[in-house]
Amino acid sequence: MRTVPGPTDHVVVVGAGLSGLAAALHLLGAGRRVTVVEQGTGPGGRAGRVELGGYRVDTGPTVLTMPHLADEAFAAVGDSLHRRVELIPLHPAYRARFADGSRLDVHTDGDAMEAEVHRFAGGAEAAGYRRLRRWLERMYRAQMHRFIDTNFDSPFQLLHPDLARLAVLGGFGRLDPQIGRFLSDPRLRRVFSFQSLYAGVAPSRALAAYAVIAYMDTVAGVWFPKGGMYALPRAMADAAADAGGEFRWSAEVTGLERAAGRVQAVRLASGERIACDAVVLTPDLPVAHRLLGRAPRRPVPLRHAPSAVILHAGTDRTWPELAHHTLSFGAAWERTFHELTRSGRVMSDPSLLITRPTTHDPSLAPEGRHLHYVLAPCPNTTTGPSAGTWRGLGPRYRDGLLAELERRGLDGFEASIDQELLVTPVDWTAQGHAAGTPFSVSHTFAQTGPFRPRNLVRGHDNVVLAGCGTTPGVGVPTVLVSGKLAAARITGLPPAKSARRRPPVLEGQSR
């Protein structure tokens, strides 16, 4: 593994999102002095927090899987996740509601899910689910150690027996047909393939290897941190501070001082200069490249994942048919993905993720109130409407989204809204996210593994990247891994590898 040469005693981490915090904890655990510089007023980055008229709103991810990866970061400084954060296992992990009126509770416990599939679609599909579950577990074991939790220096690192295992499992076929080997019911196939959208690719075009995301969602378990998702970055920052890390809030990095191929200091908008031996950059790739003075050359321009419109709604009522996470599928499927990734039109028949965090933590809203998060995927600003267009389109889209929710049974949703916040691609663009998407670079084959933007920067000996735009990719688990891999590039210590088998149960938690 290539590492940063020369002294690395003092490391400046730019950005206090999940990847930056993970990097800081692993660096502190390896004996480095760490200064974290964050332009916001507190930690979180994409996983931030907004106070909205008495509602405490998570502005980023709402689904927590693979919490043992966060625990690795805490363990690096002799701490633990379970000591800092109360995690609630979700049963069901999701509730899926379909256009034909049917409903399926998605359990991560195998026996419970087999019984639910049997009720929903019969014995043959239940048996197919069991075979699918075993296949997902084998896909995870074949990939996690060798292709996700690793620093790539060359594509030749792919030449390993695990690559042959992945090929035998069908990992280089297409995801939707592979799921179809086990399940014939199109509704069930959606439940186990929609996750490819996280990677920015339609199920019919995604590599079957991305079924590892379905493993995380439907087998390994889904948790909710008490206090909302923001409780995780808040706890990581507290643990890093207790371990000796220094945090500089409301501090915007405007430049890097370079000499002889090394960054010697980070410059802030205030005019302050922070000398350093190495730098970890976690902003989105365009921001990182601007600080570095250039973007690396690629034979083909980077392609970005679809974006999302998010409506945060504080309401005076809720609907009992909603679970903590509810997937509301439209009737359309292939057309939806074509609109998102090809034609660039907003979804004509959207599939939605509705999250109600007050299901398990009523303190996130004023007494007697409820908090709902509605996510509707949309094209990014390269494929679809521009950021400027969304200024006018956003309010109209919001009205259409509310009408669609009411058509799907959430009667009186609009009238119940007490406080709301609408986030569209114009807002993601303003935050510095390329193509107006918070999901960064998509996971096409040419942008995965050793072909994804590397975390080492050519021409800058002591700069390392972390975050969803670099290795290994998008999502809370992989972003946590990216921070660990960035730290390993600086310390020269091999990162503690994630479990090849099923993740361990956290203390005090049940699977």
Side-chain angles (χ1 to χ4, degrees):
M1 180 182 69
R2 289 177 54 204
T3 58
V4 169
T8 59
D9 298 328
H10 180 209
V11 183
V12 171
V13 177
V14 179
L18 293 175
S19 64
L21 294 169
L25 286 166
H26 285 285
L27 288 165
L28 288 163
R32 299 310 192 270
R33 178 185 161 213
V34 176
T35 302
V36 181
V37 182
E38 167 60 48
Q39 67 177 355
T41 58
R46 283 174 171 86
R49 165 65 53 83
V50 168
E51 298 289 337
L52 188 66
Y55 296 88
R56 295 187 290 158
V57 176
D58 287 324
T59 59
T62 63
V63 179
L64 178 62
T65 60
M66 312 290 279
H68 70 287
L69 296 173
D71 195 45
E72 288 180 357
F74 286 94
V77 294
D79 210 327
S80 67
L81 172 62
H82 72 82
R83 190 175 78 83
R84 296 273 183 175
V85 181
E86 180 184 349
L87 293 184
I88 302 169
L90 297 185
H91 306 296
Y94 297 93
R95 175 166 294 157
R97 296 168 59 87
F98 300 93
D100 63 2
S102 58
R103 187 187 90 178
L104 174 78
D105 281 353
V106 180
H107 299 280
T108 53
D109 175 81
D111 293 339
M113 188 59 183
E114 183 178 7
E116 177 69 354
V117 172
H118 192 285
R119 175 201 67 79
F120 182 78
E125 294 295 271
Y129 160 72
R130 273 297 185 184
R131 296 194 302 274
L132 171 63
R133 185 183 178 94
R134 289 193 290 270
W135 180 72
L136 291 173
E137 290 175 332
R138 293 169 67 194
M139 290 288 283
Y140 170 78
R141 289 196 296 269
Q143 290 185 74
M144 188 65 192
H145 175 72
R146 183 62 52 186
F147 305 118
I148 298 175
D149 191 8
T150 193
N151 270 316
F152 283 101
D153 291 320
S154 165
F156 292 109
Q157 286 177 248
L158 292 173
L159 302 179
H160 185 274
D162 280 345
L163 184 69
R165 295 186 187 101
L166 188 58
V168 169
L169 288 169
F172 298 106
R174 297 301 176 187
L175 177 61
D176 191 58
Q178 288 292 343
I179 298 295
R181 291 170 46 220
F182 306 98
L183 301 170
S184 60
D185 190 304
R187 298 167 300 174
L188 289 173
R189 290 169 68 169
R190 292 187 186 189
V191 168
F192 291 95
S193 64
F194 82 91
Q195 295 88 353
S196 71
L197 188 58
Y198 298 158
V201 188
S204 61
R205 298 174 56 84
L207 290 177
Y210 297 140
V212 71
I213 311 175
Y215 167 85
M216 296 175 185
D217 265 7
T218 66
V219 177
V222 176
W223 281 263
F224 172 69
K226 196 74 176 290
M229 284 292 289
Y230 182 71
L232 176 58
R234 178 73 269 173
M236 294 175 74
D238 291 343
D242 290 348
E246 179 186 359
F247 284 85
R248 307 292 297 276
W249 307 116
S250 302
E252 181 184 358
V253 175
T254 56
L256 306 174
E257 291 185 11
R258 295 179 290 268
R262 294 180 69 88
V263 171
Q264 296 183 325
V266 171
R267 293 197 309 272
L268 307 183
S270 64
E272 184 180 357
R273 175 183 183 274
I274 303 175
C276 59
D277 298 309
V279 177
V280 177
L281 292 178
T282 72
D284 210 15
L285 289 178
V287 178
H289 293 156
R290 186 166 65 248
L291 290 172
L292 292 168
R294 65 180 179 86
R297 295 178 181 174
R298 290 180 64 91
V300 178
L302 291 172
R303 292 177 54 189
H304 289 81
S307 185
V309 173
I310 300 174
L311 176 65
H312 302 280
T315 63
D316 61 13
R317 60 167 292 193
T318 191
W319 293 262
E321 59 266 36
L322 295 177
H324 189 111
H325 296 298
T326 301
L327 295 164
S328 177
F329 289 106
W333 191 240
E334 287 297 332
R335 185 179 81 228
T336 293
F337 287 101
H338 187 270
E339 289 167 341
L340 288 173
T341 62
R342 296 289 176 177
S343 68
R345 294 192 295 268
V346 296
M347 290 185 295
S348 55
D349 185 13
S351 291
L352 309 171
L353 170 63
I354 306 168
T355 295
R356 184 179 59 187
T358 44
T359 301
H360 287 94
D361 190 352
S363 72
L364 295 173
E367 186 174 357
R369 305 286 170 141
H370 307 271
L371 187 56
H372 299 85
Y373 164 113
V374 183
L375 184 149
C378 70
N380 63 44
T381 56
T382 300
T383 304
S386 68
T389 300
W390 272 104
R391 288 192 180 91
L393 175 60
R396 300 196 303 274
Y397 190 89
R398 174 258 187 204
D399 294 343
L401 182 59
L402 290 173
E404 185 64 31
L405 291 171
E406 301 215 10
R407 278 195 294 272
R408 297 186 185 188
L410 302 188
D411 299 321
F413 192 95
E414 183 171 13
S416 75
I417 295 177
D418 173 42
Q419 297 283 339
E420 67 176 280
L421 174 65
L422 182 71
V423 183
T424 75
V426 69
D427 302 293
W428 304 124
T429 300
Q431 294 175 31
H433 301 323
T437 173
F439 305 115
S440 193
V441 178
S442 63
H443 283 262
T444 61
F445 179 78
Q447 296 178 171
T448 297
F451 310 112
R452 200 165 179 82
R454 303 275 181 88
N455 57 6
L456 286 179
V457 181
R458 183 174 297 176
H460 296 79
D461 292 344
N462 62 340
V463 176
V464 186
L465 303 181
C468 57
T470 186
T471 305
V474 178
V476 172
T478 41
V479 162
L480 291 167
V481 171
S482 81
K484 178 176 68 171
L485 297 178
R489 291 289 197 185
I490 291 171
T491 64
L493 301 173
K497 290 296 181 183
S498 305
R500 290 171 60 87
R501 304 194 191 292
R502 176 176 286 189
V505 177
L506 297 179
E507 182 177 315
Q509 305 298 325
S510 64
R511 181 166 282 117

